[in-house]
Amino acid sequence: MKLLDLFCCAGGAGEGYQRAGFDITGIDINPQPHNPHKFIQADAFEYLEAHGHEFDAIHASPPCQIHSVMTKGRWKDRLEKHKNLIPPIRELLIALGKPYVIENVEGSKKHLINPTMLCGTMFGLETKFGSQLRRHRLFETSFFVGLTPSCNHKKGSVIGVYGGGQHPGRRYHKSKSGELKTKHGVAGFGVQDRRDAMGIDWMTGKELSQAIPPAYTEFIGKRMMEVCFK
Ligand SMILES: C[S@@+](CC[C@H](N)C(=O)[O-])C[C@H]1O[C@@H](n2cnc3c(N)ncnc32)[C@H](O)[C@@H]1O
């Protein structure tokens, strides 16, 4: 089964679908030298219109800046420059008539139709020191996903995979176990910690901050295989 991974960046989503058994082609407007799948540099809308019929299923992760809670807080005035890409990509996907998935951040909930929420804690994603990945992402699907594992937020340390890994105003040292900590015991995270928590070993820090953990799309991809192709 051939899956088109639109807005693919360095291929976090694509990797999960590959694990679910799909053959992946990624499309991004920017070069993606670290993307491990077949890759074509192109505009997602143009490529989908011209080549969508060559694929069995489509995934789209349109840029989420306009919906990102972080962006809203920090750079409110920049929001105006970003457009909402979800409705136009959905229109193209429905016209194509193949099984599809549109993924986005929680802030985009009102733009997505009956999305399924996935979190790193559903898949046991954490750093090697046990800091949990509480990364909520929404998936609108053209097929029935059904029950998901439950969110399992425990008391304790949490890793955020955003722009930076450590607080710029804090000083960190390596504890005996190798963990980065302030003198008050607040954990700091390097790129390797973020890779461990995301289940991704090939991305830079910047690419990780945009990615979805492959465990999420492996879950969605397996459901799609069962519901749409068996
Ligand atoms: C949030 S990232 C996708 C992350 C990816 N799903 C993953 O899991 O690694 C969005 C990507 O959309 C790309 N992009 C923005 N506008 C685009 C367009 N018109 N066509 C194709 N790609 C575009 C950006 O370059 C960026 O890499």
Side-chain angles (χ1 to χ4, degrees), residues 8 24 41 47 66 90 118 142 147 150 156 175 177 179 191 210 224-225 229:
C8 64
I24 312 301
Q41 187 178 353
Y47 193 88
I66 191 166
R90 179 189 294 118
L118 296 180
S142 65
L147 288 178
S150 22
S175 64
S177 59
E179 195 176 4
V191 172
Q210 299 206 48
M224 177 155 45
M225 279 288 191
F229 300 114

Side-chain angles (χ1 to χ4, degrees), residues 10-226:
E15 181 63 21
Y17 288 113
Q18 181 162 289
R19 290 179 195 168
F22 289 92
D23 179 63
I24 312 301
T25 301
I27 304 295
D28 202 285
I29 198 107
N30 292 310
Q32 298 297 341
H34 302 135
N35 188 304
H37 313 118
K38 264 174 272 166
F39 173 73
I40 297 167
Q41 187 178 353
D43 178 87
F45 290 87
E46 287 176 9
Y47 193 88
L48 182 60
E49 268 200 307
H51 299 279
H53 62 278
E54 296 164 23
F55 294 84
D56 300 295
I58 322 284
H59 170 98
S61 286
C64 55
Q65 287 90 337
I66 191 166
H67 309 299
S68 159
V69 177
M70 292 272 295
T71 303
K72 270 182 187 157
R74 285 208 205 151
W75 299 290
K76 237 178 187 160
D77 53 340
R78 289 202 214 160
L79 271 177
E80 243 125 64
K81 290 187 197 155
H82 298 291
K83 295 189 179 119
N84 181 1
L85 302 181
I86 295 174
I89 206 77
R90 179 189 294 118
E91 212 177 296
L92 282 178
L93 290 169
I94 289 175
L96 189 63
K98 308 270 173 122
Y100 76 79
V101 178
I102 303 175
E103 175 271 332
N104 230 273
V105 292
E106 279 194 308
S108 70
K109 192 167 185 182
K110 65 172 187 251
H111 301 288
L112 293 169
I113 301 168
N114 296 328
T116 298
M117 190 277 282
L118 296 180
C119 171
T121 66
M122 295 175 176
F123 305 100
L125 294 179
E126 55 185 36
T127 67
K128 64 179 176 198
F129 297 109
S131 299
Q132 284 193 315
L133 182 79
R134 296 185 191 166
R135 193 174 179 81
H136 289 184
R137 288 295 179 270
L138 302 178
F139 295 80
E140 172 180 327
T141 56
S142 65
F143 51 91
F144 181 61
V145 171
L147 288 178
T148 59
S150 22
C151 223
N152 178 24
H153 292 195
K154 291 185 287 202
K155 256 191 179 168
S157 175
V158 173
I159 180 169
V161 183
Y162 311 114
Q166 291 155 35
H167 195 286
R170 288 184 184 142
R171 295 178 105 180
Y172 295 89
H173 67 275
K174 243 186 193 171
S175 64
K176 270 189 192 151
S177 59
E179 195 176 4
L180 279 179
K181 282 204 163 162
T182 64
K183 66 178 178 185
H184 303 296
V186 179
F189 303 104
V191 172
Q192 191 53 50
D193 296 307
R194 289 187 247 161
R195 286 183 177 152
D196 291 345
M198 295 279 283
I200 288 175
D201 63 8
W202 66 92
M203 290 191 196
T204 63
K206 194 173 168 202
E207 289 164 347
L208 284 167
S209 69
Q210 299 206 48
I212 38 177
Y216 296 12
T217 41
E218 182 178 351
F219 176 82
I220 296 281
K222 282 181 175 163
R223 280 304 285 159
M224 177 155 45
M225 279 288 191
E226 278 168 27

